[in-house]
Amino acid sequence: MTQTEGTLQAGIPAESAGRRLDQALAELFPDYSRSRLSAWIKSGDVLVDGAVAIPRQIVRGGEIITLRAQPTQEVPLAPESIALDIRFEDADLLVINKPAGLTVHPGAGQPGGTLQNALLHHDPKLAEIPRAGIVHRLDKDTSGVMVVARSLRAHAALVQALQARDVHRQYLAIVYGTMIAGGSVDAPIGRHPRDRLRQAIVEGASGKPAVTHYRVRERFRAHTLIECRLESGRTHQIRVHLAHVRHALVGDQLYGQGLKLPKGATPALAEIMRAFKRQALHAEKLEFAHPVNGNLVSVEVEMAADMRTLLAALRADSIEAARL
């Protein structure tokens, strides 16, 4: 994919032959909604091999698509005065530290109170950018660093960088079990066949490739603090992969197997773990080339207070057990 300000260009892959153009575009440009892509086809802002696209056009594979991504009110959401912890900001980018408990996108049952609403309050011009500039997401109960595009050129370049795996994403997780060494989990992820709220390891065509690398940061009696690095960005990837290798995240209500306290746990640890109701996952670091000037952008944010408290209790419990 190539881009200039407001214009994207990409080739239709051979495996898309026989599909409608709007369907092929949805795969080529996943950060634009299907309705927005269809509107651009109808308005003449999509070219196929240099010719204006026709609605419901069928592709054969190999065509060169030129998309003029015209600014539009893509996100009809109300701005809301929600505090943002901004760690980097310029004309093209925002890098924020998202707190646990803040939903990124509106959805069923939550039309407001999201990061998108907060971004539109901070910069109303983000209404002209797909999804208010959000190019990747964190789960509601995952804390940490996120990058947001403030211009169409930055949006296009960041989407491309994420797809090309040129964005370094580093996470911290507290998991059950004592992990001896680092490693990798290479297992495809797709929607759970029976529970649509969950993802799962899915073999075959419905599973998308997913690779998570991890290394040990600190060991405790029955838990481990690990650093994770993603090659892909599937929904719930770290949570699914670590549960798959039987080291589910502490507090994970969806993929864990409930509270497990180490034998003889200190009262302080038992109390803190019973109260910890979210997955112990934190996006620690983002590193990437600035989409406009090419300079290295590297932002690292500290763990949220609840995870720091949990780690302190695990350390104290390990020290106490060693004395006995």
Side-chain angles (χ1 to χ4, degrees), residues 132-149:
I134 296 170
V135 293
H136 66 123
R137 66 184 293 273
L138 294 176
D139 295 335
K140 175 182 178 180
D141 289 327
T142 297
S143 59
V145 65
M146 290 182 62
V147 61
V148 176

Side-chain angles (χ1 to χ4, degrees), residues 18-232:
R19 306 191 71 182
R20 283 205 325 262
L21 176 62
D22 62 334
Q23 296 173 327
L25 292 185
E27 295 184 352
L28 280 178
F29 309 109
D31 255 59
Y32 294 98
S33 67
R34 182 74 65 87
S35 61
R36 176 51 47 205
L37 291 167
S38 295
W40 279 331
I41 292 173
K42 293 174 183 176
S43 64
D45 290 308
V46 177
L47 305 180
V48 180
D49 288 335
V52 175
I54 301 169
R56 305 188 68 82
Q57 182 172 344
I58 303 300
V59 300
R60 65 182 186 279
E63 298 98 323
I64 300 300
I65 301 298
T66 303
L67 169 63
R68 294 192 291 259
Q70 300 296 327
T72 181
Q73 188 74 19
E74 175 78 14
V75 186
L77 297 176
E80 294 183 34
S81 182
I82 299 170
L84 291 174
D85 181 2
I86 299 173
R87 301 301 180 95
F88 177 90
E89 182 174 13
D90 67 10
D92 293 284
L93 297 178
L94 281 172
V95 181
I96 66 166
N97 180 21
K98 187 191 86 68
L102 180 62
T103 299
V104 172
H105 297 293
Q110 187 167 357
T114 72
L115 176 60
Q116 273 189 291
N117 299 99
L119 289 168
L120 289 169
H121 182 269
H122 177 76
D123 181 1
K125 290 185 177 180
L126 285 172
E128 299 176 355
I129 310 297
R131 298 181 183 176
I134 296 170
V135 293
H136 66 123
R137 66 184 293 273
L138 294 176
D139 295 335
K140 175 182 178 180
D141 289 327
T142 297
S143 59
V145 65
M146 290 182 62
V147 61
V148 176
R150 299 184 73 184
S151 65
L152 283 173
R153 61 181 179 179
H155 183 277
L158 286 171
V159 169
Q160 181 181 11
L162 286 161
Q163 292 175 342
R165 302 176 182 175
D166 290 335
V167 178
H168 174 75
R169 291 177 286 176
Q170 184 172 300
Y171 294 74
L172 292 176
I174 303 172
V175 302
Y176 282 109
T178 303
M179 303 180 85
I180 304 303
S184 299
V185 184
D186 185 348
I189 291 176
R191 193 173 294 281
H192 194 284
R194 293 178 299 278
D195 185 350
R196 293 191 61 80
L197 295 178
R198 294 163 59 95
Q199 302 292 306
I201 303 302
V202 178
E203 302 291 346
S206 56
K208 296 182 179 180
V211 180
T212 303
H213 305 288
Y214 63 89
R215 71 180 185 90
V216 173
R217 281 271 190 100
E218 191 172 354
R219 296 185 190 88
F220 309 103
R221 283 204 298 143
H223 302 83
T224 309
L225 172 66
I226 61 172
E227 173 190 306
C228 301
R229 181 170 56 84
L230 301 182
E231 279 196 19
S232 45

